[in-house]
Structure formats: C-alpha cells, structure tokens
Amino acid sequence: MDNSQRVKENDTFKDIFMISGKEFEVQKPHNQVMQSPLLTQDLEDPPDRDSKETRRRKDDSAKVWPLKYEQLLHIEDHDFAMRPGFGGSPMPVGIDIQIESIDSISEVNIDFTMTFCVRNYWKDERLAFPSTTNKSMTFDYQLIRKIWVPDIVFVHSKRSFTHDTTMQNIMLCVQPDGNVLFSLRITVSAMFMDFSRFPLDTQNCSFELESYAYNEKDLLLYWKHGNKSLNTDEHICLSQFFIKELSASSGFAFYSSTGWYNRLFINFVLRRRIFFFVLQTYFPAMMVILSWVSFWIDRRAVPAKVSLGITTVLTMFTIISGTTASMPQVSYIKAMDVRLWVSALFVFLSVIEYAAVNYLTRVEEQKQLRKTEKISGLYNIDAPQAMTFDSCYHDSEMDMDQTSFSFHSEGDSIRGKFTGSPSADSAGIKRRKSLGGHISRVILGNNHVIHTYSRILFPIVYIIFNLVYWGMYV
C-alpha cells in the first residue's frame, strides 16, 4: 500500500487506498462509523494507524492479504483461458513425483493403487509481480480456478481423487519472475497386470501421464530432474511384494483426431513373495504323495484303498476351489492352475489305478477257478473251495500251487529211488526252483504287477513334472 487517507464528505467517510498507482475507495455512512468506538479512535489519531499498518505489512511482505492477490498478480488484466505463450513455441512443463505409498495390489480386481504428490513446474510471465525481497508467494486451491494450470491426466486409470483432509491438498507457489510450482496429492488406481505366472510372477506396472487437451505443438511434458524425478519414502513396504526397480521414461502417443501427445511413464517392477503361497497352496498340494500309499496296501484291503483314494481326491478339489476364490478371474491359464490341476490328475490316476487292479484281479480269479476245476477232475480229487476276502480274492491259486508242488515232489522222490543219487540231486534242484517260483507267485499274487510299476512310475513322472515346472516359472 502506497498511501491511505480518510476524508469526510456529506456525512460520509471515504477510505482512499493507493495501490500500485490506482485509487480504491470505500464509502461508509457517518452514523455507522460513529457507532463504532474503534473507528472513532482511529479518526482521532489517523497517523498512528497508518504507521502501524505500514509497519505490519513490511514485517511480512510475502503474506497475501484478502483479495489482494487479484490486483497483485493482475488476474483481471489477462485471459487465463489460454496457455502462456499461446500461438508460439510449445509450453514446457516439468514434472516430478514423490511416491508416498503403494496402497494395494488386488489380484481379484486386477489393479493396483498408489498415492503420490505430483509437482508441475512452468513459467507464466502474466503472474510476475514486483518484489524487493524476491520471495515467492504461496496460495491455496482457490486461486487455481482463476489461472491457467496444466491439464495432466492419468491414462488407463480406473479411478482417482485428490485428498481433501483437512483441506484440499493443493499448493500453488508463484515466484516474482513468474515461475510457478503447482503441487497436489492424489490417489490413482490403474489396471495393467499379467497373472500368467501367478504366484511366481514379476509385475511390470506403470502409470502414464499426458495432457488431455494440448498436443506436442502446445505443451511439452518432461521429467524435471530426469530419472531422479521419482522419489519414494523409505518406509514403503508391501506384504506380498518388494519393489525391485523404479524408473521414469517418456514417449509419445498418437490419436487420429488430434495428433501426437507427449507422455510420461512411471515404471516400477514388483517381485512377489511366494512364501505365503508355499505354505497355503503348494505344501497342501503335496497330498498327491499321500495317494501313493495305496500302492503299498494289500489289494484285498478294499475299504482302506477306497477311503484313501476318495479322501485325497476330495481334499485336492477343496484346495483348488479355495485357491480359485482368491485368484484373479482371467481366461488364460496361470502357473498356479498348472500345479494344482496336475496334482489333482495324479491323485485321480491313483484311484483309477486301483480300479484297474481290482478289475484285473477278478478276471484272474475266474481264470484260476476254471483251471483249478480242470486239475481236480484230472486227479479225481476234491478241489478245496477258495476262501474270499471282501469278494475280490480267492486262495485257489495258492492251493493249486501247493497241490502241484506236492505231486511233483512225490513223482521226483519215486523216480529217485530207481535212478540213484544223480536223480536225487536233480530232484532237490527242481524242488528248490519250484519253491522259489511258488514264493514269487505268492508275492505277485498279493501285489499286482500294476501296483509294482505304479510305485516306480508315479514318483518318477511327478519329479520330472516338478523339475520342468520350477525351471519354467522361476
């Protein structure tokens, strides 16, 4: 304020203010002024009042008084609907970002949310103001509506908002030469994630910034400090990820209707921590090994085999359904799907394996029963009836082997009496071979040949699958 005075005209007090060579006056009726003791005291001693106001303004020359910024920044004298330097070269606007937090990464919604402060730097000579101290002036969000600011948007964002607790988190700082700093605190959610390798994945996420209305001929976006324009707080920590890389880059985007636009990229690489999924999914999926126990259980123990097979199958499908509920609903196959469904296939095949063993056992019993009947008719003896165990196994094979073994032994002993010791030695050798074959037939009878091969093939194939799986996805 250059000067101020108060005069009395026709019972009306007039306050005259001189600001930058212009006079501004405020008239007040005499009766309203006289009703105020404070104004009466001011009228009695106007020089003291002027000196106090002048001294108070000199103490803080950067402080913005109510409505003064409109005259100080000459807002009414310019058309701020147009960008600075309209019609000339592109307007350079620098950007830097302070990342405060990565709020959430949702596999179900296939998006990630981040909170950060975006700072815009440009120069608008229309906002230049005289200053003897060369101090900048700071304004709140109310001035934003009256001047030109860059129209930065986040491409491919699902939702975004500016924080307003306790006031609008917007700051505008103007320097005397017209350089402007515009900062705002926002939260943005974007959707760009690939779950084909989930949960052994590394997510390459990015935010993209560009001007909505101004193409490259009007606005030039650039990172203010290069790759150092991205800064993060040291306390940022994610439960399932750790930040592997953070970088800034720039490029161009083309639109057929308006042309080329400058675009800035915020790139960050997130590596997933898999220990949680190892405990919750991969380790329970080892239930497939439990299903192999049935290969060592006697094939006559039908209840044990059936209950074990059904239990493992139901457990695997319960794990699959529980895991699918917390996984992204995508149409392509994920790494987790491959592991779970292959494990479920192994469990299912173990049940099918016992069904095949049970069926082939019945077929062998019927053949052996017919063979036993023929032997009984040949020697004119009563064939012992085979005892059954759970309607799936008969002892006729063992009885037949014992009968044939006794017949061979008697014949060999009789022939040995007439031929001498060499025949006795050969008979002993034959007896031992017959005994060894009998034992082997008993073992194979209790453990079907399919069980024997399954004990070897199932673990070998599963180990090969794990080697291929972990080599491919890790």
Side-chain angles (χ1 to χ4, degrees), residues 345-356:
L345 178 63
F346 273 89
V347 174
F348 182 74
L349 290 178
S350 66
V351 177
I352 298 300
E353 184 268 350
Y354 176 65

PDB file of all heavy atoms in Angstrom, residues 345-356:
ATOM      1  N   LEU A 345      -4.659 -84.449 -11.055  1.00  0.00           N
ATOM      2  CA  LEU A 345      -4.640 -85.535 -12.028  1.00  0.00           C
ATOM      3  C   LEU A 345      -3.896 -86.755 -11.478  1.00  0.00           C
ATOM      4  O   LEU A 345      -4.344 -87.897 -11.669  1.00  0.00           O
ATOM      5  CB  LEU A 345      -3.985 -85.045 -13.326  1.00  0.00           C
ATOM      6  CG  LEU A 345      -3.832 -86.078 -14.437  1.00  0.00           C
ATOM      7  CD1 LEU A 345      -5.201 -86.570 -14.897  1.00  0.00           C
ATOM      8  CD2 LEU A 345      -3.046 -85.490 -15.611  1.00  0.00           C
ATOM      9  N   PHE A 346      -2.788 -86.537 -10.786  1.00  0.00           N
ATOM     10  CA  PHE A 346      -2.059 -87.649 -10.195  1.00  0.00           C
ATOM     11  C   PHE A 346      -2.897 -88.362  -9.148  1.00  0.00           C
ATOM     12  O   PHE A 346      -2.900 -89.598  -9.060  1.00  0.00           O
ATOM     13  CB  PHE A 346      -0.755 -87.153  -9.573  1.00  0.00           C
ATOM     14  CG  PHE A 346       0.394 -87.086 -10.537  1.00  0.00           C
ATOM     15  CD1 PHE A 346       0.638 -85.944 -11.280  1.00  0.00           C
ATOM     16  CD2 PHE A 346       1.236 -88.173 -10.705  1.00  0.00           C
ATOM     17  CE1 PHE A 346       1.694 -85.875 -12.164  1.00  0.00           C
ATOM     18  CE2 PHE A 346       2.296 -88.119 -11.599  1.00  0.00           C
ATOM     19  CZ  PHE A 346       2.520 -86.978 -12.336  1.00  0.00           C
ATOM     20  N   VAL A 347      -3.616 -87.614  -8.329  1.00  0.00           N
ATOM     21  CA  VAL A 347      -4.482 -88.227  -7.316  1.00  0.00           C
ATOM     22  C   VAL A 347      -5.591 -89.028  -7.979  1.00  0.00           C
ATOM     23  O   VAL A 347      -5.919 -90.146  -7.562  1.00  0.00           O
ATOM     24  CB  VAL A 347      -5.060 -87.136  -6.392  1.00  0.00           C
ATOM     25  CG1 VAL A 347      -6.078 -87.735  -5.431  1.00  0.00           C
ATOM     26  CG2 VAL A 347      -3.944 -86.462  -5.613  1.00  0.00           C
ATOM     27  N   PHE A 348      -6.172 -88.448  -9.029  1.00  0.00           N
ATOM     28  CA  PHE A 348      -7.253 -89.144  -9.729  1.00  0.00           C
ATOM     29  C   PHE A 348      -6.747 -90.423 -10.392  1.00  0.00           C
ATOM     30  O   PHE A 348      -7.428 -91.463 -10.376  1.00  0.00           O
ATOM     31  CB  PHE A 348      -7.861 -88.203 -10.766  1.00  0.00           C
ATOM     32  CG  PHE A 348      -9.006 -88.790 -11.526  1.00  0.00           C
ATOM     33  CD1 PHE A 348     -10.248 -88.956 -10.936  1.00  0.00           C
ATOM     34  CD2 PHE A 348      -8.853 -89.191 -12.850  1.00  0.00           C
ATOM     35  CE1 PHE A 348     -11.310 -89.507 -11.640  1.00  0.00           C
ATOM     36  CE2 PHE A 348      -9.898 -89.733 -13.554  1.00  0.00           C
ATOM     37  CZ  PHE A 348     -11.136 -89.896 -12.944  1.00  0.00           C
ATOM     38  N   LEU A 349      -5.540 -90.376 -10.962  1.00  0.00           N
ATOM     39  CA  LEU A 349      -4.984 -91.568 -11.601  1.00  0.00           C
ATOM     40  C   LEU A 349      -4.683 -92.667 -10.594  1.00  0.00           C
ATOM     41  O   LEU A 349      -4.766 -93.858 -10.926  1.00  0.00           O
ATOM     42  CB  LEU A 349      -3.715 -91.204 -12.365  1.00  0.00           C
ATOM     43  CG  LEU A 349      -3.899 -90.362 -13.633  1.00  0.00           C
ATOM     44  CD1 LEU A 349      -2.547 -90.034 -14.248  1.00  0.00           C
ATOM     45  CD2 LEU A 349      -4.774 -91.103 -14.642  1.00  0.00           C
ATOM     46  N   SER A 350      -4.326 -92.297  -9.365  1.00  0.00           N
ATOM     47  CA  SER A 350      -4.093 -93.324  -8.347  1.00  0.00           C
ATOM     48  C   SER A 350      -5.373 -94.084  -8.020  1.00  0.00           C
ATOM     49  O   SER A 350      -5.343 -95.291  -7.752  1.00  0.00           O
ATOM     50  CB  SER A 350      -3.514 -92.683  -7.090  1.00  0.00           C
ATOM     51  OG  SER A 350      -4.455 -91.821  -6.476  1.00  0.00           O
ATOM     52  N   VAL A 351      -6.508 -93.375  -8.041  1.00  0.00           N
ATOM     53  CA  VAL A 351      -7.796 -94.055  -7.819  1.00  0.00           C
ATOM     54  C   VAL A 351      -8.133 -94.940  -9.010  1.00  0.00           C
ATOM     55  O   VAL A 351      -8.601 -96.079  -8.853  1.00  0.00           O
ATOM     56  CB  VAL A 351      -8.902 -93.009  -7.568  1.00  0.00           C
ATOM     57  CG1 VAL A 351     -10.256 -93.689  -7.402  1.00  0.00           C
ATOM     58  CG2 VAL A 351      -8.576 -92.178  -6.329  1.00  0.00           C
ATOM     59  N   ILE A 352      -7.905 -94.442 -10.222  1.00  0.00           N
ATOM     60  CA  ILE A 352      -8.163 -95.236 -11.417  1.00  0.00           C
ATOM     61  C   ILE A 352      -7.258 -96.474 -11.432  1.00  0.00           C
ATOM     62  O   ILE A 352      -7.667 -97.565 -11.872  1.00  0.00           O
ATOM     63  CB  ILE A 352      -7.952 -94.377 -12.679  1.00  0.00           C
ATOM     64  CG1 ILE A 352      -8.942 -93.206 -12.696  1.00  0.00           C
ATOM     65  CG2 ILE A 352      -8.103 -95.221 -13.926  1.00  0.00           C
ATOM     66  CD1 ILE A 352     -10.393 -93.622 -12.702  1.00  0.00           C
ATOM     67  N   GLU A 353      -6.034 -96.312 -10.939  1.00  0.00           N
ATOM     68  CA  GLU A 353      -5.108 -97.438 -10.905  1.00  0.00           C
ATOM     69  C   GLU A 353      -5.657 -98.572 -10.048  1.00  0.00           C
ATOM     70  O   GLU A 353      -5.588 -99.758 -10.425  1.00  0.00           O
ATOM     71  CB  GLU A 353      -3.756 -96.959 -10.374  1.00  0.00           C
ATOM     72  CG  GLU A 353      -2.652 -98.002 -10.380  1.00  0.00           C
ATOM     73  CD  GLU A 353      -2.571 -98.760  -9.077  1.00  0.00           C
ATOM     74  OE1 GLU A 353      -3.243 -98.340  -8.100  1.00  0.00           O
ATOM     75  OE2 GLU A 353      -1.855 -99.783  -9.016  1.00  0.00           O
ATOM     76  N   TYR A 354      -6.200 -98.257  -8.884  1.00  0.00           N
ATOM     77  CA  TYR A 354      -6.751 -99.327  -8.046  1.00  0.00           C
ATOM     78  C   TYR A 354      -7.989 -99.939  -8.689  1.00  0.00           C
ATOM     79  O   TYR A 354      -8.228-101.146  -8.574  1.00  0.00           O
ATOM     80  CB  TYR A 354      -7.096 -98.811  -6.662  1.00  0.00           C
ATOM     81  CG  TYR A 354      -7.761 -99.862  -5.823  1.00  0.00           C
ATOM     82  CD1 TYR A 354      -7.063-101.012  -5.455  1.00  0.00           C
ATOM     83  CD2 TYR A 354      -9.093 -99.750  -5.449  1.00  0.00           C
ATOM     84  CE1 TYR A 354      -7.676-102.009  -4.725  1.00  0.00           C
ATOM     85  CE2 TYR A 354      -9.709-100.744  -4.716  1.00  0.00           C
ATOM     86  CZ  TYR A 354      -8.995-101.865  -4.345  1.00  0.00           C
ATOM     87  OH  TYR A 354      -9.600-102.860  -3.630  1.00  0.00           O
ATOM     88  N   ALA A 355      -8.800 -99.156  -9.369  1.00  0.00           N
ATOM     89  CA  ALA A 355      -9.959 -99.712 -10.062  1.00  0.00           C
ATOM     90  C   ALA A 355      -9.510-100.726 -11.115  1.00  0.00           C
ATOM     91  O   ALA A 355     -10.125-101.793 -11.271  1.00  0.00           O
ATOM     92  CB  ALA A 355     -10.781 -98.593 -10.694  1.00  0.00           C
ATOM     93  N   ALA A 356      -8.425-100.397 -11.832  1.00  0.00           N
ATOM     94  CA  ALA A 356      -7.904-101.342 -12.824  1.00  0.00           C
ATOM     95  C   ALA A 356      -7.367-102.599 -12.160  1.00  0.00           C
ATOM     96  O   ALA A 356      -7.593-103.728 -12.643  1.00  0.00           O
ATOM     97  CB  ALA A 356      -6.805-100.661 -13.648  1.00  0.00           C
TER      98      ALA A 356
END
